[in-house]
């Protein structure tokens, strides 16, 4: 028995090992409380993410048809072999890559430009921040429907403006050559506000003394942007690039609402083809094989990005 202190007018004694047991009990109670709060989230994660993902991998190797679930059988790699013979899948993969290649520089460039404009102290900055960010918080369905009216070949405001200035009306979403580029523009316009705020936070963390010293050394604005702003924004730029890339691969709502994958499958994306195959055509096994292959491609791209970024940091 060890004397540990006083409690009021009484002397407090503890036995060897009691303090350790008390700490263990406190730690156990804290863990119970933590997992009690985490429990509902973990349950939802298990039910709606982990289990469906495992089932999707299993279905990818079957001929599961939604209307005859009891008749499914294992087909091995047949679904994956058929994928590379499927012209619509190959077209959707090419369309997705085309969207990614075009939307990333356009969206990130627009976001950086807006951030540079708002980085200067102006009275109306708050208004413009809200104005540029408002499309981000709006539903993509609402955004898509709004642009459908604006881009209407006959009565759309944009074509009316073009006609007023002597430019012939454009087909936009009804042209196989213009439809994907139109969706690229709409997507970049909708998402640039989010990246703008991140860039703005990065710009505001750059010390003003650095710019003052560079100005004293004779650097003009363009040189300060190239040799100071861009290098110090590198961590922010990498984060924005990766998140924008992942979001671009998941393109679904805009082609679904605005073009239904047309015209002539010119805006059919891989995610939309998965949805159409699985829920419209009810070919769950085939849709699961597309999802598994596409998920593998995105995973490889992400790993390559991480390796490149790590090499640059080293």
């Amino acid at each position: 028995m060890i004397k540990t202190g006083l409690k009021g007018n009484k002397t407090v004694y503890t036995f060897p090992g009691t303090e350790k047991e008390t700490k263990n009990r406190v730690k156990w109670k804290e863990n119970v409380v933590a997992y009690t709060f985490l429990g509902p989230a973990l349950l939802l994660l298990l039910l709606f993410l982990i289990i469906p993902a495992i089932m999707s991998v299993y279905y990818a190797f079957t001929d599961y048809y939604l209307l005859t679930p009891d008749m499914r059988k294992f087909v091995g790699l047949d679904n994956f072999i058929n994928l590379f013979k499927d012209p619509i899948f190959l077209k959707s993969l090419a369309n997705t890559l085309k969207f990614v290649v075009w939307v990333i520089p356009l969206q990130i460039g627009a976001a950086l430009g807006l951030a540079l404009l708002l980085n200067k102290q102006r009275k109306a900055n708050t208004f413009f921040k809200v104005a540029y960010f408002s499309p981000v918080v709006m539903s993509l369905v609402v955004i898509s429907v709004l642009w459908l009216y604006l881009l209407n070949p006959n009565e759309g405001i944009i074509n009316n403006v073009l006609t007023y200035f002597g430019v012939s009306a454009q087909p936009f979403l009804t042209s196989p050559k213009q439809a994907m580029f139109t969706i690229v523009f709409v997507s970049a316009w909708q998402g640039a506000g989010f990246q703008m705020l991140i860039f703005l936070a990065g710009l505001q963390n750059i010390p003003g003394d650095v710019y003052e010293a560079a100005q004293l050394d004779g650097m003009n604005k363009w040189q300060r942007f190239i040799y100071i702003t861009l290098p110090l924004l590198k961590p922010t730029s990498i984060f924005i690039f990766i998140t924008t890339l992942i979001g671009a691969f998941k393109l679904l709502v805009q082609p679904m609402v605005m073009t239904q994958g047309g015209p002539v499958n010119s805006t059919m994306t891989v995610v939309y083809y998965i949805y159409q195959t699985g829920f419209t055509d009810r070919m769950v096994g085939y849709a699961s094989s597309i999802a598994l292959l596409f998920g593998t491609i995105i995973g490889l791209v992400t790993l390559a990005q991480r390796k490149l970024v790590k090499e640059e940091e080293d």
Side-chain angles (χ1 to χ4, degrees), residues 225-247:
F225 174 72
I226 294 296
Y227 296 110
I228 297 176
T229 304
L230 288 183
L232 293 179
L233 278 180
K234 184 178 178 181
T236 305
S237 302
I238 292 173
F239 170 77
I240 290 175
F241 176 78
I242 293 174
T243 54
T244 306
L245 179 69
I246 295 173

Side-chain angles (χ1 to χ4, degrees), residues 56-313:
S56 177
V57 173
Y58 166 69
Y59 290 148
F61 298 94
T62 68
D63 62 350
Y64 182 20
Y65 184 63
L66 194 61
L67 298 182
T68 57
D70 297 330
M71 297 177 63
R72 68 175 181 270
K73 62 180 184 294
F74 185 78
V75 295
L77 298 175
D78 287 355
N79 287 332
F80 298 94
I81 294 172
N82 292 332
L83 277 179
F84 293 98
K85 301 176 182 178
D86 185 349
I88 300 179
F89 169 72
L90 296 177
K91 180 69 172 177
S92 68
L93 184 59
N95 289 337
T96 302
L97 294 175
K98 180 180 179 181
F99 176 81
V100 169
V101 169
W102 281 97
V103 79
I104 287 179
L106 182 61
Q107 185 168 327
I108 293 179
L112 180 58
L114 293 174
L116 290 170
L117 289 174
L118 295 177
N119 192 41
K120 297 180 180 180
Q121 297 294 330
R122 295 188 180 92
K123 293 182 179 180
N125 271 4
T126 302
F127 168 78
F128 285 112
K129 287 179 185 178
V130 175
Y132 296 145
F133 188 74
S134 57
V136 179
V137 299
M138 294 177 66
S139 167
L140 275 174
V141 176
V142 174
I143 292 289
S144 300
V145 172
L146 171 65
W147 278 97
L148 271 177
Y149 285 104
L150 294 175
L151 296 168
N152 187 288
N154 301 316
E155 302 175 355
I157 296 175
I158 294 178
N159 269 325
N160 288 337
V161 173
L162 291 176
T163 304
Y164 178 80
F165 286 102
V167 180
S168 59
Q170 300 297 311
F172 293 121
L173 296 171
T174 59
S175 168
K177 294 182 179 180
Q178 295 185 10
M180 180 54 76
F181 293 107
T182 303
I183 290 178
V184 166
F185 172 79
V186 172
S187 301
W189 172 85
Q190 187 271 336
F194 176 72
Q195 285 84 11
M196 174 202 70
L197 290 183
I198 300 175
F199 270 130
L200 189 59
L203 288 170
Q204 291 176 349
N205 283 330
I206 299 176
D209 298 341
V210 179
Y211 289 109
E212 292 177 3
Q215 191 172 3
L216 291 174
D217 288 339
M219 282 190 178
N220 56 36
K221 291 184 179 181
W222 176 250
Q223 290 173 327
R224 293 198 297 270
F225 174 72
I226 294 296
Y227 296 110
I228 297 176
T229 304
L230 288 183
L232 293 179
L233 278 180
K234 184 178 178 181
T236 305
S237 302
I238 292 173
F239 170 77
I240 290 175
F241 176 78
I242 293 174
T243 54
T244 306
L245 179 69
I246 295 173
F249 272 115
K250 297 189 295 182
L251 178 67
L252 171 64
V253 176
Q254 295 93 315
M256 179 187 289
V257 175
M258 301 176 76
T259 61
Q260 294 77 53
V264 200
N265 294 321
S266 61
T267 58
M268 177 68 71
T269 62
V270 176
V271 178
Y272 187 31
Y273 190 46
I274 293 171
Y275 168 83
Q276 194 175 67
T277 304
F279 293 96
T280 304
D281 300 336
R282 299 180 178 86
M283 299 168 61
V284 177
Y286 193 60
S288 298
S289 66
I290 302 173
L292 181 58
L293 179 61
F294 190 55
T296 303
I297 293 172
I298 295 176
L300 292 174
V301 171
T302 304
L303 289 174
Q305 282 181 339
R306 292 184 62 182
K307 186 176 180 180
L308 290 173
V309 170
K310 188 176 181 180
E311 288 178 355
E312 289 181 1
E313 289 177 350

